[in-house]
Amino acid sequence: MPDRRTIAVIGAGYWGPNLARNFKANPDWELAAICDLDRERAQRVADAVGGAAVVTSLDEVLADAAIDAVAIATPARTHHDVVCAALAAGKHVVVEKPLADSRELGERMVRAAAERGLVLMTDHTYCYTPAVMRIRQLIEEGELGDILFVDSVRINLGLIQPDVDVFWDLAPHDLSVLDFILPGGLRPKSVSAQGADPLGAGKACIGYLSLPFGNGSIAHVHVNWLSPTKIRQMVIGGTKRTLVWDDLNPQQRLSIYDRGVDIDRQSAATAERRAATVSYRLGDTWSPALPEHEALAAMASEFAAAISEGRPARTDGHAGMRVLSVLDAAAISLRAAGAAVPVDAGHASPSNRSPLEVVA
Amino acid sequence: MPDRRTIAVIGAGYWGPNLARNFKANPDWELAAICDLDRERAQRVADAVGGAAVVTSLDEVLADAAIDAVAIATPARTHHDVVCAALAAGKHVVVEKPLADSRELGERMVRAAAERGLVLMTDHTYCYTPAVMRIRQLIEEGELGDILFVDSVRINLGLIQPDVDVFWDLAPHDLSVLDFILPGGLRPKSVSAQGADPLGAGKACIGYLSLPFGNGSIAHVHVNWLSPTKIRQMVIGGTKRTLVWDDLNPQQRLSIYDRGVDIDRQSAATAERRAATVSYRLGDTWSPALPEHEALAAMASEFAAAISEGRPARTDGHAGMRVLSVLDAAAISLRAAGAAVPVDAGHASPSNRSPLEVVA
Amino acid sequence: MPDRRTIAVIGAGYWGPNLARNFKANPDWELAAICDLDRERAQRVADAVGGAAVVTSLDEVLADAAIDAVAIATPARTHHDVVCAALAAGKHVVVEKPLADSRELGERMVRAAAERGLVLMTDHTYCYTPAVMRIRQLIEEGELGDILFVDSVRINLGLIQPDVDVFWDLAPHDLSVLDFILPGGLRPKSVSAQGADPLGAGKACIGYLSLPFGNGSIAHVHVNWLSPTKIRQMVIGGTKRTLVWDDLNPQQRLSIYDRGVDIDRQSAATAERRAATVSYRLGDTWSPALPEHEALAAMASEFAAAISEGRPARTDGHAGMRVLSVLDAAAISLRAAGAAVPVDAGHASPSNRSPLEVVA
Amino acid sequence: MPDRRTIAVIGAGYWGPNLARNFKANPDWELAAICDLDRERAQRVADAVGGAAVVTSLDEVLADAAIDAVAIATPARTHHDVVCAALAAGKHVVVEKPLADSRELGERMVRAAAERGLVLMTDHTYCYTPAVMRIRQLIEEGELGDILFVDSVRINLGLIQPDVDVFWDLAPHDLSVLDFILPGGLRPKSVSAQGADPLGAGKACIGYLSLPFGNGSIAHVHVNWLSPTKIRQMVIGGTKRTLVWDDLNPQQRLSIYDRGVDIDRQSAATAERRAATVSYRLGDTWSPALPEHEALAAMASEFAAAISEGRPARTDGHAGMRVLSVLDAAAISLRAAGAAVPVDAGHASPSNRSPLEVVA
């Protein structure tokens, strides 16, 4: 199997075991090692996945010429140093979201990967779920028409994180999905963030993001650590149809409503706005069957494919940067009482998006 | 029946028939007349409720000494003139929400009523539903503890109104409920509004309001005319319990979750915020049975009681003004790209709120 | 309007007001009178619908040559006498379900109508709802394939009726729908009934009906007065697709699942049953939009059309008899500890079912 | 750890891996071996759980004096022979449901265990779930009052089994729960079974069981392999409250409705049944928080505790026999067109039910 590559997982905390299990089971990969400062923790992960070398030194892993790539699941504040060291050692890298804890450091990582011709991938796991892949496909094929609005809610009783607020903890999920499914990627004009810390935890535990786009459409994200009811729902309104993704309803995760409001744009364009003709469509609802696969398995395959084909991964460093740019602008807006903060227009989505079939 | 008062309904459009039906059926009231410029429309309403005089002239109604009060259901932009004329004629007034279409005009109406010692009531209908009355009671009795956040969603496929945007059309419902249930009434520090008009209708069809309060808590409102799924849900998070009001689930409209996040405030107050102890409670859920009554019937009774007892109505002009102040600030924020706009601190909630028993 | 006919409503109790309101509003009909022994009750109904003559004598109504038809909403035990008197007087008749309280009396009523060439219609209201009309259409067009099973649940906290058990009170709804949607009408081989009276009410308050059909398929009905949760759901399993009708979910009343079990019938027919190939389809779900109309309005129109066209009504006396035959067999089975009781094969469904378009 | 016992798992097919994983992880047990005729299959299970001896001969396992107990997960038709051989070798036994494939063989197994003083336990897994343990507790403590009815639905698209019908495949789950929660255990007067095989699979794919009890109450079970919608719901109606267990709603698995029908039993006892006073209660709904634990872990602990304490296991052979007696009577009823078949009154529930605390 000449294409089989060797990988080490760095970090055996919360997410590392999932990465280890999936790279172990993936035919494209050989899991060589689990690396963590805490040997016992690394050993437990190695045992649970049926065996792998255990290493406590990052340098040792990076010095091992037999290792082609690393999957990094360490805290966000360490991403820059660990990723840059791995790239310097010639390793391809996939790194847990968010790409980095600041925009500047993220930029350096992307540049470092580009200079060395290595794959730098962000583990935007949700983008590899059957539901999100189907949403992207439906939008690409024009089933929804032009996107008018996206409203995303991700609320639950959640652990108050010691080092990040609720925006940095939860919103990367929503933002990475937006980046993946919107035709132009996540490129809002500006970001307004509203946060609240009613318990005095020292950081926002409730957050709202408004992301207006140039064409009049808007995305909005609600993240909340303090809600006893769990909601994970995204409504995507289009000119032709509207889609609701309810991630907690396994029996009907996606619903596509063939209904909406039509406005007679000719009359709307005149001075007589009051006379604008509005009409309603009340059509059928449709819920596509989804294949069942684990998202991380598809992510691992995509990482291998990107390396083999010498192309950017579907959720590459630029995707990570578009998410990071919004988080960065949100942090500034938060300090400015919610004022609209422009988002830098760098990191254009690649003109030749890799086709969906690759990971389907 | 010496307490029975006589009322005329002004406006026979969308809401007038409901007012007419309820005042007709209420033992405290005698429905004297339906007034509308369109005689046929007024006649249809009079017939449907089992008979009432039909009048096409407002002056004629106001000149009729036998009429004690008027219920006004004309477009918002006419409220000021009609209400002031009625007050000048010595009539008690109940007026459809919003109180007026500008803060300034609303102030004049409130002053006019106060000067004449007449009851000016805003028809905040939701405040008279069994669900909202129970929510207020639960908060008053301390069942939820201190309020940390309120998240309100009111989205549906809705008619694009010719003269108002989605904030002025839908948000008065959420805001009037907030004013009614929050211990201090609706008195946020500031308002940030985000709107979108993706169809080019000439006004916001999607809207988000953020209302931070002085104590670190926040209320947020999402109103949307373009959503094919109908959601009317309010989550009220408290330090002791959290309440979810799902107005579209008649079998379990209110759910109270005895769970939440506790933070050790002593440690949180120290510099070492990261060490703040967080603990979770996963308790029972409870759904109170609600009595069944029509909200407008309770509203009509409260109007009569306020007049009889010479006291402000439960949803008086000041309540209307607190709602109007937020709408007014939202309109300014909208023009300022969502910047936080302070809300004037006038119109304090009355120190002696009328007890709930009156309308129970 | 030469086709407009005149009707009187007999019985002003629970159902009579609904009939009166719908015949009053229907352009095919003129509502001439409300007849009830209790004059006040009749008067209240007449007032509520905007006026009609009030009569306390059935004879007087039947003697009135200007009256073409009567709609009967008196207790089931009086149906035979009232209907036969009306037919004898030459009136067309629509009668509330069930047609009669015994099979024998029902037969006499059907014969009497046939002999006089008059329309005898059973008010199987559910058959005129948009949901049930659409179900029938989907089955007729072959969308579900052959019907394998129908499981119907109708449970709620219900008033224990003084004169009938839960089968006679609730099951006519399910049975009339089955009769309406099944290609051959409601013609099971036999009926087994299980009832329970755990409160000692003197009659079954919980009931289960099993209705095996000749082709191996089965229908089952669960009716229950003692359930605090309200369920009104019918699952219709077909060889091609399965339909779920959830009458309490207005946002998605009908769901059609394009999935099921396929069995390789050739192998199944051999002795080697264990080797029978079974395969699964997990296809999309689809929820058709339904028009909104009141069922009773469509029923009133169908009654008029049947008279005008000289044809049986869609839910004619024979349909009523097929429902009654099952209820009659169920009562016998109940006394025989649930033994299977054959259902008489009379009352074939009409070979030329009137097309759906008539009432659409 | 003197109490630690040694166990072998017999059968590495569908259920064996779950047993192996749980006995491996349980501090009361040492997992000694996995036994299966197919060595590779056994090895895969041993590897997956982190190691155990692999044996292909049952005799070898039973001859090993170091093994105290066996957990049997072979096809039901082999249970008798395997269990009896294990008991003869002096091993304690836990066996997958159903206990046996006939009542007679089940009796022999229970006798054999009693004669040797060994624990024979049936793996009624559902009885060890937090939800079912809580239901039993609520009934024991009188929260529901007397039980009036139980309605259980377990339907889904299911694999048509080669050797058993839908009753033997699915109903043991419902029946074992009924046996566990009902104060007197599962002791109906008789069983009526209705089955359908509309696809010509050679066995019932749809089944209904009616189980009337001596006191007028009834249990009813609906099992179905052909339903594209998955429902797992049990409604338990009591004189004081009614409980709904929705096993597919993790956010509100149990709901207790404080509402119901009250009948004035004094008047009901008179000849004037029609005058029986009926009253309704519309009270609150309550959903208890449930602890999270894996049912099989609690089952494994209970098996160890029963051995240590020399007492019958909570779901002992007699419980297995009560379930088997109903399945046996159902099979006879099925061949007799649904006639009521009496259930033998043997296998009384133990007078001293082991307290719930043991496995909590």
Side-chain angles (χ1 to χ4, degrees):
Chain A
M1 213 182 304
D3 277 303
R4 190 152 175 176
R5 284 190 171 73
T6 301
I7 194 164
V9 169
I10 316 293
Y14 172 65
W15 197 241
N18 294 324
L19 293 172
R21 182 168 46 80
N22 274 280
F23 281 106
K24 176 79 175 189
N26 195 296
D28 295 336
W29 290 100
E30 187 180 330
L31 177 64
I34 312 287
C35 174
D36 198 289
L37 291 175
D38 180 339
R39 176 177 290 275
E40 272 185 48
R41 192 158 77 159
Q43 189 65 53
R44 276 198 302 274
V45 173
D47 288 349
V49 303
V54 160
V55 188
T56 56
S57 152
L58 175 62
D59 291 344
E60 191 180 324
V61 169
L62 298 184
D64 184 343
I67 289 178
D68 300 305
V70 293
I72 296 171
T74 59
R77 66 180 182 281
T78 68
H79 283 183
H80 172 265
D81 290 358
V82 179
V83 168
C84 285
L87 292 170
K91 313 299 184 197
H92 300 284
V93 172
V94 60
V95 59
E96 205 190 335
K97 62 87 196 164
L99 180 61
D101 63 345
S102 91
R103 209 166 160 284
E104 197 164 59
L105 296 176
E107 294 283 10
R108 285 196 216 159
M109 292 152 69
V110 170
R111 271 199 307 271
E115 285 164 14
R116 284 167 185 78
L118 293 166
V119 168
L120 172 60
M121 180 173 180
T122 318
D123 176 12
H124 289 165
T125 315
Y126 268 105
C127 302
Y128 298 93
T129 58
V132 173
M133 288 170 66
R134 188 61 177 269
I135 294 172
R136 172 166 158 166
Q137 185 187 19
L138 288 163
I139 292 175
E140 270 185 358
E141 293 174 353
E143 288 292 317
L144 306 188
D146 298 331
I147 303 306
L148 301 173
F149 70 90
V150 182
D151 186 83
S152 191
V153 178
R154 182 176 307 275
I155 70 179
N156 196 9
L157 224 45
L159 201 60
I160 295 175
Q161 298 294 320
D163 50 358
V164 294
D165 67 10
V166 73
F167 290 103
W168 285 81
D169 183 39
L170 296 184
H173 294 303
D174 309 272
L175 297 174
S176 64
V177 170
L178 285 169
D179 183 62
F180 188 71
I181 63 174
L182 292 178
L186 179 65
R187 298 168 62 73
K189 274 192 313 185
S190 62
V191 176
S192 295
Q194 305 285 341
D197 174 22
L199 285 172
K203 68 198 63 160
C205 295
I206 301 169
Y208 297 96
L209 287 178
S210 294
L211 310 172
F213 290 85
N215 61 356
S217 67
I218 191 169
H220 187 270
V221 175
H222 173 200
V223 284
N224 190 325
W225 279 334
L226 306 181
S227 168
T229 43
K230 189 175 181 177
I231 303 179
R232 287 187 185 174
Q233 183 179 282
M234 190 178 273
V235 182
I236 305 171
T239 48
K240 287 172 64 180
R241 293 190 188 84
T242 294
L243 185 150
V244 176
W245 168 32
D246 182 354
D247 205 43
L248 300 183
N249 183 356
Q251 302 214 41
Q252 192 169 334
R253 229 178 270 275
L254 300 186
S255 301
I256 293 117
Y257 295 82
D258 187 14
R259 54 180 93 154
V261 183
D262 290 321
I263 197 160
D264 180 340
R265 283 157 182 282
Q266 213 157 10
S267 72
T270 71
E272 273 275 56
R273 291 219 184 271
R274 287 195 188 173
T277 310
V278 175
S279 65
Y280 287 73
R281 282 172 295 115
L282 272 174
D284 297 349
T285 304
W286 168 65
S287 175
L290 296 172
E292 298 215 0
H293 71 245
E294 189 173 1
L296 275 181
M299 187 281 286
S301 296
E302 165 69 1
F303 187 33
I307 296 169
S308 293
E309 300 167 20
R311 61 163 173 84
R314 181 178 302 284
T315 52
D316 64 359
H318 294 281
M321 279 309 300
R322 288 189 296 274
V323 169
L324 201 52
S325 300
V326 169
L327 289 171
D328 187 73
I332 297 170
S333 173
L334 205 57
R335 288 192 294 266
V341 173
V343 180
D344 179 19
H347 297 284
S349 40
S351 55
N352 57 341
R353 298 185 80 165
S354 48
L356 266 178
E357 288 70 31
V358 174
V359 297
Chain B
M1 216 182 301
D3 278 303
R4 191 155 174 173
R5 285 190 170 72
T6 302
I7 196 165
V9 169
I10 316 293
Y14 171 66
W15 197 240
N18 294 324
L19 292 172
R21 182 169 46 79
N22 274 280
F23 281 106
K24 177 78 176 188
N26 194 295
D28 295 334
W29 290 101
E30 186 179 333
L31 177 65
I34 312 288
C35 174
D36 197 288
L37 291 175
D38 180 338
R39 175 178 291 277
E40 272 186 48
R41 193 159 77 160
Q43 187 67 55
R44 275 199 302 275
V45 173
D47 289 351
V49 303
V54 160
V55 188
T56 57
S57 153
L58 175 62
D59 291 344
E60 192 179 325
V61 168
L62 299 183
D64 185 344
I67 289 178
D68 302 304
V70 293
I72 297 171
T74 59
R77 68 180 179 280
T78 68
H79 283 182
H80 172 265
D81 290 358
V82 178
V83 167
C84 287
L87 291 170
K91 313 298 186 199
H92 299 284
V93 172
V94 60
V95 59
E96 204 190 336
K97 61 88 200 166
L99 179 62
D101 62 344
S102 91
R103 206 163 163 286
E104 195 164 60
L105 296 177
E107 294 282 10
R108 286 196 217 159
M109 292 153 69
V110 171
R111 273 199 306 271
E115 285 163 14
R116 284 168 187 79
L118 293 166
V119 168
L120 171 59
M121 181 174 179
T122 318
D123 176 11
H124 289 165
T125 314
Y126 267 105
C127 302
Y128 298 92
T129 58
V132 174
M133 287 169 67
R134 187 63 177 267
I135 294 172
R136 171 164 157 166
Q137 185 187 20
L138 288 163
I139 292 176
E140 271 186 356
E141 293 174 353
E143 288 293 317
L144 306 189
D146 297 330
I147 303 305
L148 302 174
F149 70 91
V150 183
D151 186 84
S152 190
V153 178
R154 183 176 305 275
I155 70 180
N156 195 11
L157 223 46
L159 202 60
I160 295 174
Q161 299 294 320
D163 50 0
V164 294
D165 66 11
V166 72
F167 291 103
W168 286 80
D169 183 38
L170 296 184
H173 294 303
D174 308 272
L175 297 174
S176 64
V177 170
L178 285 169
D179 183 63
F180 189 69
I181 63 174
L182 292 177
L186 180 66
R187 300 168 62 74
K189 274 191 314 185
S190 62
V191 176
S192 294
Q194 305 287 340
D197 174 23
L199 285 171
K203 69 198 61 161
C205 295
I206 301 169
Y208 297 96
L209 287 178
S210 295
L211 310 173
F213 290 85
N215 61 355
S217 66
I218 190 170
H220 187 271
V221 176
H222 174 201
V223 285
N224 190 326
W225 279 333
L226 305 180
S227 167
T229 40
K230 188 175 181 177
I231 302 179
R232 287 187 185 173
Q233 184 180 281
M234 190 179 274
V235 182
I236 304 171
T239 47
K240 287 172 63 180
R241 294 192 187 81
T242 294
L243 184 150
V244 176
W245 169 31
D246 181 353
D247 205 43
L248 301 182
N249 183 357
Q251 302 213 42
Q252 192 169 336
R253 228 178 271 275
L254 300 187
S255 302
I256 293 116
Y257 296 81
D258 187 14
R259 55 180 93 155
V261 183
D262 291 321
I263 197 160
D264 180 338
R265 283 160 183 281
Q266 213 158 8
S267 71
T270 71
E272 273 276 55
R273 288 215 186 275
R274 286 194 189 171
T277 309
V278 176
S279 65
Y280 286 73
R281 281 174 296 114
L282 271 174
D284 297 349
T285 305
W286 168 64
S287 175
L290 296 172
E292 298 214 1
H293 71 246
E294 190 172 0
L296 274 181
M299 187 280 288
S301 296
E302 164 69 2
F303 188 33
I307 296 169
S308 294
E309 301 167 18
R311 61 163 173 82
R314 182 178 302 284
T315 52
D316 64 0
H318 294 279
M321 278 310 301
R322 287 189 296 272
V323 169
L324 202 52
S325 299
V326 168
L327 290 170
D328 188 74
I332 296 170
S333 173
L334 205 57
R335 287 192 294 267
V341 173
V343 180
D344 180 19
H347 296 287
S349 41
S351 55
N352 57 341
R353 300 186 80 165
S354 47
L356 268 177
E357 289 70 30
V358 173
V359 298
Chain C
M1 214 180 303
D3 278 303
R4 189 152 174 175
R5 284 189 172 73
T6 301
I7 195 165
V9 169
I10 316 293
Y14 172 67
W15 198 239
N18 294 325
L19 292 172
R21 180 168 48 80
N22 275 280
F23 280 107
K24 177 78 175 190
N26 195 295
D28 295 335
W29 290 102
E30 187 181 331
L31 176 64
I34 312 289
C35 174
D36 197 289
L37 292 174
D38 179 338
R39 175 178 291 277
E40 271 186 48
R41 193 159 76 160
Q43 189 65 54
R44 276 199 302 274
V45 173
D47 289 350
V49 303
V54 160
V55 188
T56 56
S57 152
L58 175 61
D59 291 344
E60 192 180 324
V61 168
L62 299 184
D64 185 344
I67 289 177
D68 301 304
V70 292
I72 297 171
T74 58
R77 67 180 181 279
T78 68
H79 283 182
H80 171 266
D81 290 359
V82 178
V83 167
C84 286
L87 293 169
K91 313 299 186 198
H92 300 285
V93 173
V94 61
V95 59
E96 205 190 336
K97 62 88 198 165
L99 181 61
D101 63 344
S102 92
R103 209 165 162 283
E104 196 164 60
L105 296 177
E107 294 282 9
R108 285 196 217 160
M109 292 152 69
V110 170
R111 273 200 305 272
E115 285 165 13
R116 282 166 187 82
L118 293 166
V119 168
L120 171 59
M121 180 173 180
T122 318
D123 176 12
H124 289 165
T125 314
Y126 268 105
C127 301
Y128 298 93
T129 59
V132 174
M133 288 171 67
R134 188 62 178 269
I135 295 172
R136 172 166 157 165
Q137 185 187 20
L138 288 164
I139 292 175
E140 270 186 358
E141 293 174 354
E143 288 292 318
L144 304 189
D146 297 330
I147 304 305
L148 301 173
F149 70 91
V150 183
D151 185 85
S152 190
V153 178
R154 181 176 306 275
I155 70 179
N156 196 10
L157 224 46
L159 201 60
I160 295 174
Q161 299 294 320
D163 49 359
V164 294
D165 65 11
V166 72
F167 291 103
W168 285 81
D169 182 39
L170 296 184
H173 294 303
D174 308 271
L175 297 173
S176 64
V177 170
L178 284 169
D179 183 63
F180 188 71
I181 64 173
L182 292 178
L186 179 66
R187 298 168 62 74
K189 274 192 315 185
S190 62
V191 177
S192 294
Q194 305 286 341
D197 174 22
L199 286 171
K203 69 200 61 165
C205 295
I206 301 168
Y208 297 96
L209 287 177
S210 294
L211 309 173
F213 290 84
N215 62 356
S217 67
I218 191 170
H220 187 270
V221 175
H222 174 200
V223 284
N224 190 326
W225 280 334
L226 306 181
S227 167
T229 41
K230 189 175 182 176
I231 303 179
R232 287 186 184 175
Q233 183 178 282
M234 190 179 274
V235 182
I236 305 171
T239 48
K240 288 172 64 179
R241 293 190 188 84
T242 294
L243 184 150
V244 176
W245 168 31
D246 181 354
D247 205 43
L248 301 183
N249 183 356
Q251 302 214 40
Q252 192 169 336
R253 229 178 270 277
L254 299 187
S255 302
I256 293 117
Y257 295 83
D258 187 13
R259 55 179 92 154
V261 182
D262 291 321
I263 196 160
D264 180 339
R265 283 158 182 282
Q266 213 157 6
S267 71
T270 70
E272 274 275 58
R273 289 218 185 272
R274 287 194 188 169
T277 310
V278 176
S279 64
Y280 287 74
R281 281 173 296 114
L282 271 174
D284 297 350
T285 305
W286 168 65
S287 176
L290 296 172
E292 297 214 2
H293 71 245
E294 190 172 1
L296 275 180
M299 188 280 287
S301 295
E302 165 68 0
F303 187 34
I307 296 170
S308 293
E309 301 167 19
R311 61 163 173 82
R314 182 178 301 283
T315 51
D316 65 358
H318 293 280
M321 278 309 301
R322 288 190 294 273
V323 169
L324 202 51
S325 299
V326 169
L327 289 171
D328 188 73
I332 297 170
S333 173
L334 205 57
R335 287 192 295 266
V341 173
V343 180
D344 180 20
H347 297 285
S349 41
S351 54
N352 57 341
R353 300 186 79 166
S354 49
L356 267 177
E357 288 70 32
V358 173
V359 297
Chain D
M1 214 182 300
D3 278 302
R4 192 154 173 172
R5 285 192 172 71
T6 302
I7 195 165
V9 169
I10 317 292
Y14 172 66
W15 197 240
N18 294 324
L19 292 173
R21 181 168 47 80
N22 274 279
F23 281 106
K24 177 77 176 189
N26 195 296
D28 295 334
W29 290 101
E30 187 180 332
L31 177 64
I34 313 287
C35 175
D36 198 289
L37 291 175
D38 180 339
R39 175 177 290 278
E40 272 186 46
R41 193 159 75 159
Q43 188 66 55
R44 276 199 301 275
V45 174
D47 289 350
V49 302
V54 161
V55 188
T56 57
S57 153
L58 176 62
D59 291 344
E60 192 180 323
V61 168
L62 298 184
D64 185 343
I67 290 178
D68 301 305
V70 293
I72 297 171
T74 59
R77 68 179 180 282
T78 67
H79 283 181
H80 172 265
D81 290 359
V82 178
V83 168
C84 286
L87 292 169
K91 313 297 187 199
H92 299 285
V93 173
V94 60
V95 60
E96 206 190 335
K97 61 89 198 163
L99 180 61
D101 63 344
S102 91
R103 207 165 163 284
E104 197 164 59
L105 295 177
E107 294 282 9
R108 284 196 219 160
M109 292 153 69
V110 170
R111 271 199 306 270
E115 285 165 13
R116 283 167 185 80
L118 293 167
V119 168
L120 172 58
M121 179 173 180
T122 317
D123 176 12
H124 289 164
T125 314
Y126 268 106
C127 301
Y128 299 93
T129 58
V132 173
M133 287 171 66
R134 188 60 177 267
I135 294 172
R136 171 165 157 167
Q137 185 187 20
L138 288 163
I139 292 176
E140 269 186 357
E141 294 174 352
E143 289 292 317
L144 305 188
D146 298 330
I147 304 305
L148 302 172
F149 69 91
V150 183
D151 186 84
S152 190
V153 178
R154 182 176 306 276
I155 70 180
N156 196 10
L157 223 46
L159 201 60
I160 295 174
Q161 298 294 320
D163 49 359
V164 294
D165 66 10
V166 73
F167 291 103
W168 286 80
D169 183 39
L170 296 184
H173 293 304
D174 309 271
L175 297 174
S176 64
V177 170
L178 285 169
D179 183 62
F180 188 70
I181 63 174
L182 292 178
L186 180 65
R187 300 168 61 74
K189 274 192 314 184
S190 62
V191 177
S192 294
Q194 305 285 341
D197 175 21
L199 286 171
K203 69 199 62 161
C205 295
I206 301 169
Y208 297 97
L209 287 177
S210 294
L211 310 173
F213 290 84
N215 62 355
S217 68
I218 191 170
H220 187 271
V221 175
H222 174 200
V223 284
N224 190 326
W225 279 333
L226 305 180
S227 167
T229 42
K230 188 175 181 176
I231 303 179
R232 287 188 185 172
Q233 184 179 281
M234 190 179 275
V235 183
I236 304 171
T239 47
K240 287 172 64 180
R241 295 191 186 83
T242 295
L243 185 151
V244 176
W245 169 31
D246 182 353
D247 205 43
L248 301 182
N249 183 357
Q251 302 213 41
Q252 193 170 335
R253 229 178 270 275
L254 299 187
S255 302
I256 293 117
Y257 295 81
D258 187 14
R259 54 180 95 155
V261 183
D262 291 322
I263 197 161
D264 179 340
R265 284 158 184 280
Q266 212 157 10
S267 71
T270 71
E272 273 277 56
R273 289 219 184 271
R274 287 195 187 171
T277 310
V278 176
S279 65
Y280 286 73
R281 281 174 295 115
L282 273 174
D284 298 349
T285 304
W286 169 64
S287 176
L290 295 173
E292 298 216 1
H293 71 245
E294 189 171 1
L296 275 180
M299 187 281 287
S301 296
E302 164 68 1
F303 188 33
I307 296 170
S308 294
E309 302 168 18
R311 61 162 174 82
R314 183 178 302 284
T315 53
D316 65 359
H318 293 281
M321 278 309 300
R322 288 189 295 272
V323 169
L324 202 51
S325 299
V326 168
L327 289 170
D328 188 74
I332 296 170
S333 173
L334 205 58
R335 287 193 295 268
V341 172
V343 180
D344 180 18
H347 296 285
S349 40
S351 54
N352 57 340
R353 300 186 80 164
S354 48
L356 267 177
E357 288 71 29
V358 173
V359 298

